[in-house]
Amino acid sequence: MSENETHGSEHVFKAFKSLQDIDIDSFPDSVARGKALAEARALVSRLETPFERMFHVSHEIPAFYAALCVANDQGVFETLDSEHGSPKTAQQLARSGDPALLNCFLRMLAAKHIIAQVGPANYEPTRFSSALRSPAIASAIGIYADMNSNAFISLPKFLEHTKYENPTDIQQSNWQYMLGRDETYFEWLTSNPEIEANFGNFMSGYASQRDSWLDVYPGHEIMDNSDHEGPLIVDIGGGLGQDLAKFLHKFPHSAGRLYLQDLPGVIHNAQNTVPHGIKAEIHDFFKPQLIDGGRGKPICNAGASMPDDKSHAILQALKPAMRKNYSRLLLHELAIPSENASLYQVTADLTMAALFSSRERSEEDWMVLLKGAGFRIVKIWRGSASEAVIEAEVE
């Protein structure tokens, strides 16, 4: 290596060393952090050889997932946090079985920076491993095992089977093709209570990581322009009620006028955690809305990204309960740009295709859908990232 090449390498390594102190708390907001994360991922893609990149897809990802499952089943993340997070050996972390086997999986988790290795077979927790003690975060492990992994493996075969027609029929979707029977995703979910409860935990975690609709839409718009009695907000598909809890905290006089609606398993969990002043009830969003006249009816992931016909049916089920020139429909959704879409946006888009024969919509798509269902867009409120709150009313 020449002197100039040596000097160039030293310069690169110094630059990398300067990055070591940067973490999730180094940015003023989620937009700046998201830009830095995108640049970091782009850097990794430039550093990898084509073989390394494909080895990551074909071997590292499935091996990493297996390691997460084994560690979670063995209670590794809880044990690591015990005794003030002091270093622990594989033998101390193994609840059952051979510690040498567990150590193979622990090495994988250390290589992926999930836990920290501080000796030949000694490990410490990290911020992420401690977060995996939360059901809202750890539930993603089950989501991948029970739903996403098989659905995405099946998707290319399903599309080949349909000659790459754009999937739009939820009754003839990749999900049924994968299961081998006529059962939609939500029908399957409600027949598996444990998985449904895990799904509720996951959606709660998902909601906590994204901007709340209250971070995008001014809540005082609902309070200032509402009657002083009767329903105020019906949050359909609102998970464990985290958004309504934020609203109640900000506007305590709204207590008793806030309604949370979701699937049976989700509501069962929510009843144990939802604050007093929020009424939690089971609701099928394809059936008529029975709570009349609420000022705002946010839909937070309540199936509005399903195929157009199903989304249309959901909107039609809501419309009779809405008072003209008073009730507002608030859709908290993605609005995918025509270029430079984020990894988060495109992943969500393909997930809709794999599970529901649907897609995430653009702003123009939402305008067409709402107009066809008899709604008029009042305003589109933009958040700090790629999401928006679409405010609409009955025409």
Side-chain angles (χ1 to χ4, degrees):
M1 183 179 290
S2 69
E3 184 176 341
N4 287 339
E5 288 174 327
T6 301
H7 178 73
S9 296
E10 289 176 352
H11 177 73
V12 170
F13 283 114
K14 284 182 180 179
F16 274 111
K17 190 171 181 60
S18 69
L19 298 176
Q20 290 178 356
D21 293 331
I22 297 177
D23 62 18
I24 196 172
D25 298 318
S26 301
F27 303 94
D29 53 46
S30 61
V31 174
R33 186 181 65 83
K35 289 180 179 178
L37 186 59
E39 289 295 332
R41 285 171 172 158
L43 174 61
V44 170
S45 72
R46 293 195 298 271
L47 293 177
E48 288 179 319
T49 67
F51 179 83
E52 287 170 337
R53 196 161 196 187
M54 286 312 301
F55 185 83
H56 171 73
V57 172
S58 63
H59 288 72
E60 288 179 19
I61 291 177
F64 170 51
Y65 173 68
L68 274 177
C69 287
V70 170
N72 192 52
D73 289 344
Q74 288 279 303
V76 164
F77 307 118
E78 291 85 356
T79 307
L80 277 174
D81 275 353
S82 66
E83 299 174 353
H84 306 289
S86 59
K88 296 174 181 67
T89 65
Q91 188 166 3
Q92 290 173 302
L93 293 170
R95 287 183 177 176
S96 61
D98 188 343
L101 174 63
L102 178 63
N103 194 53
C104 295
F105 294 105
L106 296 175
R107 288 198 301 254
M108 165 59 81
L109 295 180
K112 295 292 287 183
H113 307 289
I114 304 302
I115 62 178
Q117 188 168 9
V118 292
N122 283 270
Y123 302 92
E124 286 181 343
T126 64
R127 171 187 280 192
F128 183 77
S129 68
S130 296
L132 282 169
R133 296 179 60 192
S134 165
I137 305 298
S139 59
I141 299 173
I143 290 292
Y144 183 80
D146 297 326
M147 294 177 266
N148 289 4
S149 60
N150 291 332
F152 277 113
I153 289 171
S154 170
L155 184 60
K157 297 177 182 177
F158 169 72
L159 293 176
E160 182 181 14
H161 174 73
T162 62
K163 297 183 174 20
Y164 297 95
E165 290 287 331
N166 189 29
T168 58
D169 186 355
I170 197 172
Q171 300 297 335
Q172 300 289 329
S173 71
N174 173 59
W175 184 258
Q176 284 96 338
Y177 182 81
M178 180 200 73
L179 285 181
R181 59 181 184 271
D182 293 333
E183 193 173 30
T184 67
Y185 173 82
F186 283 108
E187 288 169 346
W188 172 85
L189 195 62
T190 55
S191 65
N192 292 274
E194 289 186 14
I195 297 175
E196 184 182 33
N198 191 58
F199 175 77
N201 287 329
F202 174 77
M203 292 308 298
S204 174
Y206 168 69
S208 70
Q209 295 302 306
R210 66 189 296 209
D211 288 340
S212 164
W213 60 268
L214 278 169
D215 297 326
V216 182
Y217 183 86
H220 67 81
E221 289 279 333
I222 296 176
M223 294 297 298
D224 295 347
N225 298 293
S226 71
D227 296 338
H228 296 295
E229 57 183 28
L232 186 66
I233 298 177
V234 184
D235 194 351
I236 306 164
L240 300 182
Q242 52 278 351
D243 284 338
L244 283 183
K246 289 180 183 178
F247 189 92
L248 179 61
H249 178 76
K250 192 172 183 178
F251 304 102
H253 295 304
S254 66
R257 303 175 64 195
L258 307 178
Y259 295 80
L260 172 68
Q261 296 181 338
D262 215 306
L263 297 167
V266 178
I267 293 299
H268 175 75
N269 285 346
Q271 287 173 336
N272 299 322
T273 59
V274 71
H276 180 72
I278 299 174
K279 301 176 183 179
E281 60 184 30
I282 296 168
H283 179 65
D284 180 346
F285 42 70
F286 288 110
K287 295 181 179 178
Q289 177 58 244
L290 299 179
I291 300 175
D292 291 340
R295 172 61 184 166
K297 294 181 181 293
I299 293 186
C300 303
N301 300 305
S305 290
M306 287 185 174
D308 286 350
D309 60 335
K310 295 298 180 183
S311 295
H312 183 89
I314 292 170
L315 294 171
Q316 289 296 304
L318 275 175
K319 193 161 66 171
M322 297 183 66
R323 286 165 51 186
K324 195 168 184 178
N325 299 321
Y326 176 75
S327 299
R328 294 295 169 88
L329 172 66
L330 304 179
L331 293 160
H332 186 196
E333 293 290 340
L334 293 180
I336 296 183
S338 57
E339 58 181 21
N340 299 321
S342 69
L343 183 60
Y344 166 72
Q345 289 171 320
V346 296
T347 300
D349 191 29
L350 290 178
T351 300
M352 291 297 106
L355 301 181
F356 307 116
S357 279
S358 185
R359 68 188 192 282
E360 292 290 351
R361 295 185 175 91
S362 67
E363 181 177 314
E364 293 75 17
D365 292 331
W366 280 113
M367 289 181 178
V368 172
L369 176 67
L370 287 166
K371 183 172 181 60
F375 288 86
R376 180 185 72 86
I377 291 181
V378 176
K379 184 174 180 178
I380 296 178
W381 303 80
R382 289 289 176 184
S384 61
S386 56
E387 298 178 20
V389 170
I390 303 168
E391 181 181 9
E393 64 180 3
V394 177
E395 281 192 314

